[in-house]
Amino acid sequence: VSSLMLKHYFSIATGSLIEKLRVHYTNFVEIRKRLPSLPEQQKIADFLNNVDEVIAASEEEVTNLEQQKKAVMQKIFSQEVRFKREDGSDFPEWEIGKIGDLIELYDEKVSNDCELPILTSSKKDGIVYQTDHFGREQIHDISGYNVLPRNYCTYRNRSDGTDYTFNINTLCDKGIVSKFYPVFKEKNSNLYFLMTLLNNEPTTVNKIAYTAVGGAQKVLSIKALQEIEINIPSLPEQQLIADFLTSYDEAITAAKQELEKWKELKKGLLQQMFV
């Protein structure tokens, strides 16, 4: 529906936004609108149907890639699939280790005069600018906020349930996050591999949920996180796994960008057609 038609619908609608607006049939059939000839209508409809088919195919490609990555991660973390060295030999068996031995905390704070962008760590979109996440500027006392450099990881240590998401800042060189977002980098580990394991490996996710404490709001302190034991491969195998999964991320990102292009194209065409 074009913006002009929406404005017209609102102008003839009865009721209220609370009670739901209604356009009665008798008013609807009286709407006068310039229309192309039937053959042209058919050509427009066929063209838009073709665009819809491309959009549907793009959406399916994104879904398939995401499902493929999920299936591959399950096989990797269960060690059903193992990587090998360049000479074809096996890597060592995975070993149990504490998360604290694999990360190094970063504790740089800011004052109220800091001009670094405020970031948010979201489950769906990763690290994003807070203004983009909420759609508007937020007013905060930022003293005590944590600095999050590029390629460092963070997570919100409070959750209404037991769902914690770990994200790496690849958005900007430096930003700031709330004091409820601990910041760390890798130590004798691959940070992308570690983040992926913390977010997806079932046993680890369950351990994290069990470790969090509290009532209605569960808290996963950084100290408690460091004490959790996980099963991890050697650093060279971590790197190979990270590179492999990153290739999926790049393919998914490209597919999503292509999908958005087609959606924007359709939106633009509709606006031009119904001006």
Side-chain angles (χ1 to χ4, degrees):
V1 179
S2 69
S3 58
L4 289 176
M5 285 302 297
L6 282 174
K7 288 180 181 179
H8 187 65
Y9 288 150
F10 275 113
S11 70
I12 64 175
T14 59
S16 68
L17 290 175
I18 297 176
E19 298 173 351
K20 294 185 179 180
L21 293 172
R22 297 178 179 84
V23 176
H24 291 285
Y25 177 76
T26 52
N27 293 329
F28 177 75
V29 296
E30 291 298 319
I31 295 175
R32 292 183 176 274
K33 183 69 179 175
R34 295 179 63 185
L35 297 172
S37 64
L38 182 57
E40 188 175 358
Q41 289 180 41
Q42 186 62 54
K43 286 185 177 295
I44 292 172
D46 290 343
F47 178 75
L48 292 177
N49 281 336
N50 289 336
V51 174
D52 285 338
E53 289 175 2
V54 174
I55 290 173
S58 296
E59 289 174 335
E60 185 176 3
E61 182 181 5
V62 170
T63 300
N64 288 340
L65 286 169
E66 290 175 337
Q67 290 176 345
Q68 288 174 27
K69 182 188 175 185
K70 185 177 180 179
V72 166
M73 285 192 298
Q74 289 175 345
K75 291 181 182 294
I76 289 174
F77 292 137
S78 67
Q79 299 180 57
E80 183 180 342
V81 171
R82 291 291 305 275
F83 287 75
K84 293 181 180 292
R85 295 188 176 96
E86 289 186 2
D87 62 7
S89 61
D90 294 331
F91 283 109
E93 293 301 313
W94 292 29
E95 296 182 352
I96 301 295
K98 288 185 177 181
I99 292 175
D101 295 329
L102 305 170
I103 64 174
E104 181 179 321
L105 301 187
Y106 185 79
D107 192 27
E108 182 183 353
K109 306 292 185 182
V110 299
S111 57
N112 269 330
D113 59 356
C114 174
E115 296 184 357
L116 292 172
I118 302 177
L119 308 177
T120 290
S121 180
S122 71
K123 184 175 182 63
K124 179 182 176 183
D125 301 313
I127 301 296
V128 295
Y129 293 113
Q130 192 181 78
T131 50
D132 293 341
H133 183 69
F134 290 104
R136 63 184 186 279
E137 193 78 30
Q138 302 289 301
I139 300 176
H140 296 291
D141 174 9
I142 63 170
S143 57
Y145 269 37
N146 293 320
V147 174
L148 178 64
R150 183 184 295 275
N151 296 327
Y152 282 54
C153 189
T154 191
Y155 71 101
R156 188 175 190 272
N157 66 9
R158 282 159 169 73
S159 174
D160 293 333
T162 54
D163 188 13
Y164 299 89
T165 301
F166 299 82
N167 286 314
I168 298 172
N169 173 26
T170 59
L171 182 65
C172 59
D173 289 335
K174 268 191 178 183
I176 60 174
V177 289
S178 163
K179 60 184 179 181
F180 299 120
Y181 289 77
V183 177
F184 58 87
K185 64 178 181 177
E186 77 277 3
K187 181 176 69 176
N188 301 319
S189 66
N190 179 281
L191 190 59
Y192 177 89
F193 169 84
L194 184 60
M195 178 201 69
T196 306
L197 183 140
L198 295 178
N199 287 331
N200 298 281
E201 199 281 310
T203 300
T204 303
V205 171
N206 289 336
K207 284 183 178 181
I208 289 172
Y210 179 79
T211 301
V213 297
Q217 192 173 63
K218 300 288 187 179
V219 177
L220 177 67
S221 71
I222 188 64
K223 289 184 178 180
L225 176 68
Q226 288 177 290
E227 291 299 315
I228 295 176
E229 292 185 337
I230 57 176
N231 199 16
I232 54 171
S234 64
L235 182 55
E237 188 173 2
Q238 289 180 43
Q239 185 62 55
L240 288 176
I241 293 170
D243 292 343
F244 181 73
L245 294 179
T246 298
S247 67
Y248 266 103
D249 291 339
E250 291 171 351
I252 291 169
T253 298
K256 286 182 176 180
Q257 290 174 344
E258 186 69 15
L259 172 60
E260 287 305 310
K261 286 180 182 179
W262 282 104
K263 286 182 176 180
E264 286 299 315
L265 173 63
K266 180 182 177 181
K267 181 180 177 181
L269 289 172
L270 289 172
Q271 288 175 343
Q272 293 178 36
M273 286 179 184
F274 301 117
V275 171

